[in-house]
């Protein structure tokens, strides 16, 4: 410490004057840079052009707005390099002291760290400004591609610029080989993570562009459901593969993991057989998911009958399918179920469906008035699609006839409501206009010689007695 104090005490006046002038020049450079950028930005603001506008004047405003945000990082760069020059000048005059060489190395290291941090900060500010500008511009565009792709480009720039700063500035650091290896591995992992994130965002943007015009709320949505199912399944597959590649790439950065992977590949014969037997069910499930995505026996929002339950396909994953049942319960089935077992799909080719209503009526029911009443009900109902309607006697029972009504509807939900409406109104019509048409139980009333009514058991007993008397 005494040696250091003595060294600085030995500095001559010219060196101190040079240092002072250098510090004054740094301060002036900081002030001038800040004033020039703020002055130019203020002049651009006076044009009163909206930031969302895509004109050249608005673009210039965004440039100067970004420049205003970059004042502090640029000032930090100026001060770091200026102070390094000042400190190096002072230490150069102390070259006869043994600590001067170590001090120069330390100053060089601090300069590298400071420059790297300042440049990264600068790139972050620039990326944030570009991201914000692209988002504002995209809001004013009616093109759906611009609304999705332009913000994605902004996010990508926001992540890539700092990464480039670290990637280009890290090799300039004067560090030990061990520290340099740690920095290189960290940067490699950061690059892989950033590229994976951008890839995932690109997949999300691509699916959004494809699905943005597909409407699942309309009645005839078969094509939309087909595209939605394919895109959703393929997105999950591609996302899983990309995540697996990213994780494997991160692990391969380390030598120990790389050697371990080489050993696994060398023994792939035995390992493949073991893994094949252990994961055959999982592999079969994944292949079933791929087969579902390609052949599409089911699609999102399909109406199906599975395990005796009526519901809609709510979610399709690589391993299972969720069916939303009519009472809002969820039936979760393995995806292989729809490959291996039969099921009903009411919307495979079209959403239209024919529903049936069965009535059990007396033999004296008038069919023509009943048909006329059915037609009147259908004409007044918005649930009927005006395509199919019929009323037929399809069977005869011991005490009743079976009357079947068939009607068509745009989809299964409306078909159920229409069948309930027809059943309710036809029963009300028969109760009011033809009550004798409702099911009845007929019986034969028999009287004896004196006019007394006999029930069936007494009548049969009397006939047996009469038959026995005649035979005797």
């Amino acid at each position: 410490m005494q040696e250091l104090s003595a060294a600085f005490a030995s500095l001559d006046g010219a060196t101190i004057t040079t240092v002072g002038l250098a510090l004054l020049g740094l301060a002036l450079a900081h002030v001038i840079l800040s004033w020039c950028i703020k002055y130019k930005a203020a002049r651009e603001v006076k044009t009163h052009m909206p930031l969302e506008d895509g004109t050249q004047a608005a673009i210039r405003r965004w440039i100067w707005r970004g420049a205003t945000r970059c004042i502090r990082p640029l000032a930090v760069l100026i001060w770091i390099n200026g102070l390094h020059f000042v400190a190096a000048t002072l230490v150069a005059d102390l070259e006869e002291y043994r600590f001067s060489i170590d001090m120069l190395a330390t100053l060089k290291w601090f300069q590298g760290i400071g420059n790297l941090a300042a440049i990264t900060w600068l790139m972050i500010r620039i990326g944030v400004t570009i991201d914000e500008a692209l988002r504002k511009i995209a809001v004013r565009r009616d093109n759906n591609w611009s609304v999705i792709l332009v913000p994605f480009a902004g996010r990508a720039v926001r992540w890539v610029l700092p990464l480039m700063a670290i990637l280009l500035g890290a090799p300039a650091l004067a560090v030990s080989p061990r520290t340099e290896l740690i920095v290189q591995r960290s940067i490699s992992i950061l690059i892989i993570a950033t590229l994976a994130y951008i890839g995932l965002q690109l997949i999300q943007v691509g699916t959004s562009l494809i699905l943005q015009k597909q409407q699942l709320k309309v009645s005839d949505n078969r094509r939309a459901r087909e595209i939605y199912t394919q895109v959703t399944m393929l997105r999950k597959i591609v996302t899983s593969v990309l995540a697996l590649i990213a994780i494997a790439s991160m692990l391969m950065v380390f030598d120990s993991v790389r050697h371990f992977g080489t050993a696994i590949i060398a023994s792939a014969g035995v390992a493949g057989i073991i893994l094949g037997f252990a994961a055959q069910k999982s592999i079969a499930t994944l292949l079933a998911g791929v087969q579902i995505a390609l052949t599409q026996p089911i699609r999102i929002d399909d109406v199906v009958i599975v395990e005796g339950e009526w519901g809609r396909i709510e979610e399709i994953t690589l391993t299972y399918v969720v069916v939303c049942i009519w009472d809002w319960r969820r039936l979760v089935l393995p995806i292989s179920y729809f490959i291996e077992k039969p099921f009903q799909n009411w919307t495979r080719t079209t959403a239209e469906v024919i529903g049936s209503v069965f009535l059990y009526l007396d033999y004296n029911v008038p069919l023509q008035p009943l048909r006329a009443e059915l037609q009147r009900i259908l004409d007044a109902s918005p649930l009927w699609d005006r395509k199919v309607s019929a009323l037929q006697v399809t069977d005869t029972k011991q005490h009743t006839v079976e009357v079947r009504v068939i009607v068509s509807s745009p989809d299964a939900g409306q078909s159920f409501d229409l069948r309930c409406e027809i059943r309710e109104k036809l029963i009300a019509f028969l109760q009011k206009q033809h009550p004798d048409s409702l099911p009845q139980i007929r019986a034969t009333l028999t009287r004896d010689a004196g006019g007394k009514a006999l029930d069936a058991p007494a009548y049969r007993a009397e006939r047996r007695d009469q038959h026995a008397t005649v035979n005797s």
Side-chain angles (χ1 to χ4, degrees):
M1 190 68 182
Q2 293 179 355
E3 183 181 7
L4 182 63
S5 300
F8 280 102
S10 64
L11 293 175
D12 56 5
T15 302
I16 296 175
T17 303
T18 303
V19 170
L21 291 175
L23 292 175
L24 180 61
L26 288 175
L28 289 175
H30 184 181
V31 172
I32 293 172
L33 174 69
S34 177
W35 181 83
C36 291
I37 293 177
K38 290 182 179 180
Y39 175 75
K40 184 62 177 178
R43 289 191 59 185
E44 291 293 337
V45 170
K46 292 180 181 180
T47 59
H48 301 291
M49 296 295 294
L51 291 175
E52 296 85 355
D53 193 0
T55 61
Q56 294 183 357
I59 294 175
R60 288 198 303 270
R61 286 193 61 197
W62 276 112
I63 292 174
W64 285 106
R65 184 173 183 176
T68 304
R69 292 179 175 178
C70 294
I71 291 176
R72 290 184 178 179
L74 291 174
V76 170
L77 277 174
I78 292 174
W79 279 101
I80 287 174
N81 291 280
L83 291 176
H84 175 266
F85 170 77
V86 170
T89 301
L90 291 174
V91 174
D93 288 345
L94 306 175
E95 59 183 3
E96 67 271 10
Y97 295 92
R98 62 177 181 271
F99 61 81
S100 61
I101 298 176
D102 296 335
M103 187 173 290
L104 286 174
T106 303
L107 291 174
K108 187 67 176 178
W109 185 82
F110 275 111
Q111 183 191 22
I113 292 292
N115 285 333
L116 180 60
I119 293 174
T120 303
W121 186 16
L122 178 64
M123 292 296 104
I124 291 174
R125 288 293 184 94
I126 294 175
V128 169
T129 303
I130 294 175
D131 186 15
E132 184 179 347
L134 292 178
R135 288 177 184 272
K136 292 290 186 181
I137 293 173
V139 171
R140 298 296 297 266
R141 295 292 183 268
D142 296 331
N143 189 351
N144 293 327
W145 289 78
S146 299
V147 173
I148 297 177
L149 284 178
V150 172
F152 166 74
R155 291 194 301 269
V157 170
R158 187 174 182 174
W159 283 85
V160 168
L161 287 180
L163 183 63
M164 291 179 59
I166 296 174
L167 183 62
L168 296 177
L173 297 178
V175 295
S176 63
R178 181 178 178 82
T179 304
E180 184 178 359
L181 180 61
I182 294 174
V183 172
Q184 289 178 353
R185 288 178 176 177
S186 301
I187 293 175
S188 299
I189 293 175
L190 185 61
I191 292 173
I192 295 171
T194 304
L195 293 178
Y197 173 78
I198 293 176
L200 293 175
Q201 291 294 316
L202 184 60
I203 294 171
Q204 185 67 31
V205 167
T207 55
S208 300
L209 289 174
I210 296 174
L211 298 178
Q212 63 183 348
K213 294 184 179 180
Q214 307 303 323
Q215 300 293 330
L216 294 177
K217 301 300 183 181
V218 298
S219 297
D220 190 7
N221 58 359
R222 185 180 65 86
R223 180 61 178 170
R225 289 185 285 109
E226 179 180 348
I227 295 176
Y228 195 94
T229 302
Q230 283 183 337
V231 171
T232 303
M233 294 293 294
L234 291 177
R235 180 187 64 186
K236 292 179 179 179
I237 293 173
V238 175
T239 300
S240 301
V241 173
L242 181 60
L244 183 62
I245 293 174
I247 294 173
S249 301
M250 290 180 183
L251 294 177
M252 294 297 288
V253 171
F254 303 95
D255 294 334
S256 58
V257 178
R258 186 183 302 117
H259 295 317
F260 180 69
T262 305
I264 292 177
I265 295 174
S267 59
V270 178
I273 295 174
I274 295 174
L275 292 176
F277 279 108
Q280 57 180 348
K281 194 69 176 178
S282 300
I283 295 174
T285 302
L286 291 175
L287 292 178
V290 176
Q291 186 175 352
I292 289 289
L294 296 178
T295 61
Q296 294 194 358
I298 56 172
R299 295 179 291 266
I300 298 294
D301 205 42
D302 263 348
V303 177
V304 294
I305 303 292
V306 289
E307 298 295 319
E309 299 283 359
W310 184 97
R312 292 181 180 272
I313 302 295
E314 184 178 56
E315 182 182 1
I316 303 176
T317 68
L318 293 177
T319 55
Y320 64 88
V321 176
V322 179
V323 181
C324 180
I325 305 175
W326 65 273
D327 57 359
W328 296 354
R329 291 177 296 153
R330 264 62 176 180
L331 184 63
V332 181
L333 299 168
I335 198 166
S336 58
Y337 178 95
F338 296 91
I339 301 296
E340 300 171 354
K341 296 184 179 181
F343 64 94
Q344 296 184 37
N345 190 335
W346 288 14
T347 54
R348 180 69 179 87
T349 57
T350 180
E352 297 175 339
V353 66
I354 295 178
S356 59
V357 176
F358 289 92
L359 299 174
Y360 296 92
L361 307 173
D362 193 75
Y363 272 82
N364 61 5
V365 59
L367 296 177
Q368 291 305 323
L370 194 61
R371 287 193 177 96
E373 178 64 15
L374 172 64
Q375 190 62 42
R376 187 191 67 80
I377 295 171
L378 293 177
D379 291 338
S381 176
L383 302 175
W384 184 45
D385 61 2
R386 273 68 181 168
K387 291 184 178 180
V388 177
S389 66
L391 187 149
Q392 299 169 316
V393 177
T394 54
D395 199 1
T396 56
K397 309 292 184 180
Q398 183 178 2
H399 300 290
T400 59
V401 295
E402 182 184 79
V403 177
R404 185 185 71 172
V405 176
I406 57 173
V407 288
S408 58
S409 297
D411 55 51
Q414 296 186 55
S415 176
F416 179 83
D417 294 337
L418 179 60
R419 288 158 56 200
C420 293
E421 179 183 357
I422 291 172
R423 190 180 295 111
E424 177 183 344
K425 291 185 177 181
L426 286 182
I427 291 175
F429 169 75
L430 293 173
Q431 288 174 340
K432 183 177 180 180
Q433 301 294 335
H434 303 279
D436 293 339
S437 299
L438 299 176
Q440 303 179 29
I441 300 297
R442 290 179 172 83
T444 302
L445 185 62
T446 307
R447 299 179 182 275
D448 59 7
K452 182 181 179 181
L454 297 175
D455 56 4
Y459 175 74
R460 286 194 294 271
E462 182 180 356
R463 290 297 302 268
R464 284 196 300 270
D465 294 341
Q466 293 176 357
H467 183 69
T469 303
V470 171
N471 290 337
S472 63

